[in-house]
Amino acid sequence: MPALDDTRALLEVLEVWAERGWVRQLDAAFARFLAQEAPGAPALLILAAALASHQLGRGHACLDLAATLRDPALALSLPPDGLRRADEASVPLPGELLAGLDLAAWLAALRAPALLADGDGATPLVLRGHRLYLRRYWHYERAVRRRIDLRLDTGQEAPDPAASRTVLDRLFPSAGDGSTDWQKLACALAARARFAVVTGGPGTGKTTTVVRLLALLQAAALAPAAAAAPLRIRLAAPTGKAAARLNASIAGAVARLPLAGLAQAEDVRAHIPTDVTTLHRLLGSRPDTRRFRHHAGNPLALDVLVVDEASMIDLEMMAAVLDALPPRARLVLLGDKDQLASVEAGAVLGELCARAERAHYTPATAAWLEAATGQPVPDALLDPQGMPIDQAIAMLRHSHRFSASSGIGRLAEAVNAGRVRQVESVLRHGHADLDVIAVDARQDEALARLVIDGAPAAAPPAPAQGELFAGPRDTTPHAAADAARAFGYRHYLGVMREDRPAAGTAQSAWDDWARAVLAAHGRFQLLCALRRGPWGVEGLNRRIARILLQAGLIDADDGWYAGRPVLVTRNDYGLGLMNGDIGITLAVPGAAHAPPALRVAFPGGAGGDAVRWVLPSRLQDVETVYALTVHKSQGSEFDHTAFALPEQPNPILTRELVYTAITRARRHFTLLESGPRHLLGFAVERRVVRASGLMQDEHG
């Protein structure tokens, strides 16, 4: 292709790609910048740089050249069907542009010292093996790996297992059935080093485990023989929503700690915090900069940091957290390794936990765990060649939220395992906590029934032979009772209208009302995969607002109106609102003799019970949020979660996206099908694979 030999021709191709939305304008601009800085640079190097920049926008830390040659279409944000319009016929796609090119030839073309190096230096690009990085992200990846490795190499002996056993036996009373207590094992393992990860699916007890871990650590610090001060512990999460959710559950877990008979029991309980903050607030965000107030030169004042929902932490943020930790402090990450990775570049938790299923504990680790817990490690989890990072990863394997008969639990398990036939079987079974609704972009009847009352379609269609997900519904009384919990948006709008305080009521009553409306709104949420299109956020928010207006539940479907839920889309430090915060627009008393005024009520910050009232005119970066992307829903749970599949296959549809959508549901899950019935199977078979070298030996 001429564009591979002529930089000017390549830049013209990149401009067209940017116009089509196949790459970002930023990526094309980066290519132009490099071509200007190094006029003699090969066109293949400029192309690789543009694609590496584009991969960052898609969550990859680097461009994997070998993977790109195997499937060039994955390097661009191509239309879902991969087809081009007639006027695009002359524009080469990556597969055409790179046809006939082999990896050795591409690597040879990248040797341009002015732009690229294989390590330290000041070049904008770094090449490690067949992975091409923008320098900043290579630096983040290297820093994260090195700092984790340093924390794994503690240079000190592990805690005395006998002393740990005394406390652990009180924290985890034996069930007496001989079953493995995965929480106890996880707690013991996480106490051995300055870095630990506790991963597990919904309801496996991550919060319970970490609270008891903190009790174990605090008990050791407060023991008479230790003669030390209590540990300084901080709790954090990536978003305000995740922080508020952890805050709501951790106080109860601390209150329920089984500390009877333990020396200094109440001191231990008193020194386990229950306030949770966001990582941005913890590190000290500085407006209009990527830097934080806390870093290696000004570390955080703490001994233990626990971070929940760690799957949402991107590579840059993880580097900042590790940079701000004091050298002797402990870092404990909690999260579900199978959830979607962060929106930004990197999939740190997923990569760290890549071997968690089989554990790979060494005999030395297993012996210590048995001495500390009284439980042998199953043989299937042993590996004499286990790596140091394996010895810091604990996986919780039993869900306490979903019973063996739970449709949500079984569906999540089948999706996570990539078993399409099992997914079909679960959805055909007629579980009381699952619904499947066929919807049509041309009429709103089924969608209206769902979003107003959470109700499924009036009756399922008769199944055709071999048809996906068709099957009889459970009509037992138990199923009817369960279906009654399938909330829709009528619920929170009813609380807003019916429980509104009378004029002249004290401010505390208005705050209580706002809290009740916010809580009611959290009972139901419609999720979708995409932003655009009739089954994306933009199209669904317009349709749902119109449906609610026609039903008389809201007074307008555009602009500001009572009942409008809004999502903050950018951090606003002046208002104390973070990206992902959700508020509800409410009518409150205005000035004397004036009509009611609109204010947006937000939860009062991570860990707080107050309500923050904000004038709509002060909110510049918000959007209506009847429909929410699955990515934005992470860190949240809803009694009833509905998930709308798009009409046609799309690269964003993956196993992790579907699994994350399902596991946002506590009691009821509804799948909306707007396209062909095989689309869910298409998603379940596709995994997110993010290009990275974090766990590769040549990371540094």
Side-chain angles (χ1 to χ4, degrees):
M1 296 289 292
L4 297 185
D5 299 317
D6 183 344
T7 299
R8 179 175 297 179
L10 173 67
L11 292 176
E12 291 175 356
V13 169
L14 291 174
E15 287 297 328
V16 176
W17 284 4
E19 290 172 5
R20 299 290 185 262
W22 297 352
V23 297
R24 301 172 299 175
Q25 290 291 343
L26 174 66
D27 309 323
F30 181 57
R32 290 194 302 272
F33 167 76
L34 294 181
Q36 292 168 1
E37 292 295 304
L44 270 172
L45 172 57
I46 302 301
L47 172 63
L51 294 180
S53 172
H54 184 61
Q55 293 300 78
L56 287 175
R58 304 176 69 209
H60 299 275
C62 58
L63 173 72
D64 186 322
L65 298 170
T68 300
L69 289 176
R70 286 195 298 270
D71 192 352
L74 295 179
L76 296 189
S77 298
L78 293 174
D81 55 7
L83 300 176
R84 296 176 292 184
R85 301 193 305 265
D87 63 337
E88 295 168 351
S90 62
V91 182
L93 294 176
E96 298 163 341
L97 197 61
L98 298 176
L101 182 67
D102 63 28
L103 181 60
W106 203 356
L107 289 172
L110 300 186
R111 302 300 175 184
L115 298 180
L116 183 144
D118 63 358
D120 292 323
T123 58
L125 301 170
V126 174
L127 182 67
R128 300 294 295 179
H130 51 78
R131 297 187 304 276
L132 181 66
Y133 294 84
L134 272 63
R135 174 166 294 279
R136 182 151 53 89
Y137 285 86
W138 172 76
H139 173 75
Y140 292 148
E141 190 173 276
R142 184 177 66 161
V144 167
R145 177 67 185 270
R146 284 184 171 178
R147 286 166 181 156
I148 289 176
D149 285 348
L150 285 173
R151 291 181 179 280
L152 295 174
D153 182 16
T154 62
Q156 63 183 13
E157 293 183 1
D160 175 27
S164 297
R165 172 79 180 269
T166 300
V167 181
L168 285 167
D169 282 349
R170 294 191 181 278
L171 292 172
F172 297 93
S174 174
D177 57 4
S179 61
T180 300
D181 189 334
W182 297 108
Q183 293 183 13
K184 188 175 186 180
L185 283 173
C187 189
L189 188 77
R192 297 178 74 239
R194 289 177 293 147
F195 177 79
V197 178
V198 178
T199 186
T204 51
K206 295 185 290 293
T207 302
T208 298
T209 300
V210 79
V211 168
R212 297 186 187 188
L213 167 65
L214 297 178
L216 174 65
L217 297 175
Q218 205 65 279
L222 293 171
L231 296 172
R232 299 167 298 169
I233 300 171
R234 297 294 303 274
L235 309 174
T239 66
K241 191 78 172 178
R245 181 168 153 248
L246 177 61
N247 179 263
S249 60
I250 204 163
V254 172
R256 293 190 300 271
L257 271 172
L259 298 176
L262 187 68
Q264 293 89 34
E266 290 313 308
D267 278 350
V268 168
R269 195 189 310 275
H271 287 99
I272 298 176
T274 57
D275 290 337
V276 187
T277 188
T278 64
L279 286 174
H280 282 87
R281 291 187 178 106
L282 176 76
L283 296 177
S285 295
R286 297 166 61 182
D288 303 319
T289 176
R290 305 178 81 104
R291 298 177 181 175
F292 294 98
R293 186 164 52 86
H294 290 288
H295 46 76
N298 180 32
L300 294 161
L302 52 76
D303 300 303
V304 181
L305 174 61
V306 175
V307 183
D308 195 19
E309 295 291 352
S311 64
M312 300 169 65
I313 305 176
D314 61 84
L315 187 62
E316 181 177 2
M317 177 57 80
M318 186 64 77
V321 169
L322 288 163
D323 187 46
L325 283 179
R328 305 307 305 172
R330 294 174 181 268
L331 174 62
V332 181
L333 303 179
L334 304 179
D336 186 343
K337 67 181 180 63
D338 298 311
Q339 277 189 198
L340 278 172
S342 61
V343 176
E344 304 298 330
V348 179
L349 186 74
E351 291 182 76
L352 293 175
C353 296
R355 288 156 54 93
E357 200 75 39
R358 297 295 300 273
H360 299 277
Y361 297 142
T362 63
T365 298
W368 189 93
L369 285 173
E370 184 168 2
T373 66
Q375 295 190 153
V377 175
D379 290 344
L381 303 185
L382 300 181
D383 179 2
Q385 306 302 316
M387 299 187 300
I389 187 64
D390 297 327
Q391 317 313 303
I393 309 295
M395 180 174 169
L396 303 177
R397 300 164 188 266
H398 175 68
S399 176
H400 301 276
R401 178 185 305 171
F402 302 124
S403 67
S405 61
S406 162
I408 296 174
R410 292 185 62 196
L411 182 61
E413 181 181 0
V415 167
N416 199 24
R419 301 190 184 108
V420 176
R421 289 187 179 277
Q422 187 178 343
V423 170
E424 297 173 9
S425 175
V426 172
L427 287 172
R428 276 199 303 264
H429 186 273
H431 287 283
D433 55 353
L434 294 177
D435 277 311
V436 182
I437 300 177
V439 287
D440 191 327
R442 292 166 295 184
Q443 56 86 25
D444 289 330
E445 182 181 351
L447 179 64
R449 214 163 19 235
L450 171 73
V451 299
I452 292 175
D453 291 312
Q465 182 66 32
E467 203 172 44
L468 191 63
F469 313 141
R473 290 190 47 78
D474 189 341
T475 57
T476 63
H478 171 74
D482 226 353
R485 296 187 298 204
F487 296 95
Y489 288 135
R490 185 195 299 274
H491 177 64
Y492 92 88
L493 293 168
V495 172
M496 180 188 74
R497 291 180 180 274
E498 296 165 15
D499 295 353
R500 188 175 187 273
T505 305
Q507 181 60 44
S508 60
W510 293 96
D511 290 347
D512 289 343
W513 171 60
R515 275 190 290 271
V517 175
L518 287 164
H521 178 264
R523 307 300 290 271
F524 171 72
Q525 183 64 58
L526 176 61
L527 305 179
C528 47
L530 310 176
R531 286 202 55 81
R532 295 180 177 84
W535 297 103
V537 164
E538 295 173 0
L540 280 170
N541 275 320
R542 288 192 298 268
R543 291 175 66 189
I544 293 170
R546 184 176 67 246
I547 287 169
L548 297 177
L549 176 66
Q550 293 171 347
L553 296 173
I554 56 177
D555 299 326
D557 63 353
D558 194 20
W560 289 101
Y561 53 87
R564 180 192 179 195
V566 294
L567 174 78
V568 177
T569 58
R570 180 184 297 181
N571 293 344
D572 189 324
Y573 299 98
L575 294 176
L577 297 174
M578 296 292 115
N579 184 3
D581 287 350
I582 291 178
I584 307 292
T585 311
L586 300 173
V588 299
H593 307 298
L598 293 179
R599 298 288 187 275
V600 184
F602 289 91
D609 191 42
V611 174
R612 182 182 291 113
W613 296 91
V614 181
L615 281 167
S617 59
R618 298 191 66 190
L619 296 170
Q620 302 303 311
D621 297 295
V622 295
E623 59 187 30
T624 303
V625 70
Y626 295 117
L628 183 67
T629 62
V630 176
H631 269 104
K632 288 287 189 180
S633 75
Q634 288 184 266
S636 302
E637 288 180 347
F638 313 95
D639 282 350
H640 181 192
T641 300
F643 174 50
L645 285 167
E647 293 178 294
Q648 56 187 347
N650 189 289
I652 203 171
L653 280 178
T654 62
R655 183 183 309 173
E656 290 81 359
L657 183 108
V658 176
Y659 171 82
T660 303
I662 294 167
T663 54
R664 298 312 88 205
R666 282 191 293 255
R667 297 182 178 179
H668 207 95
F669 177 76
T670 298
L671 177 71
L672 280 75
E673 293 182 314
S674 59
R677 288 184 173 269
H678 68 267
L679 200 56
L680 182 58
F682 164 85
V684 169
E685 289 177 335
R686 298 181 67 251
R687 297 217 66 170
V688 172
V689 179
R690 288 197 167 179
S692 166
L694 180 63
M695 301 308 295
Q696 302 299 318
D697 290 339
E698 70 270 20
H699 67 275

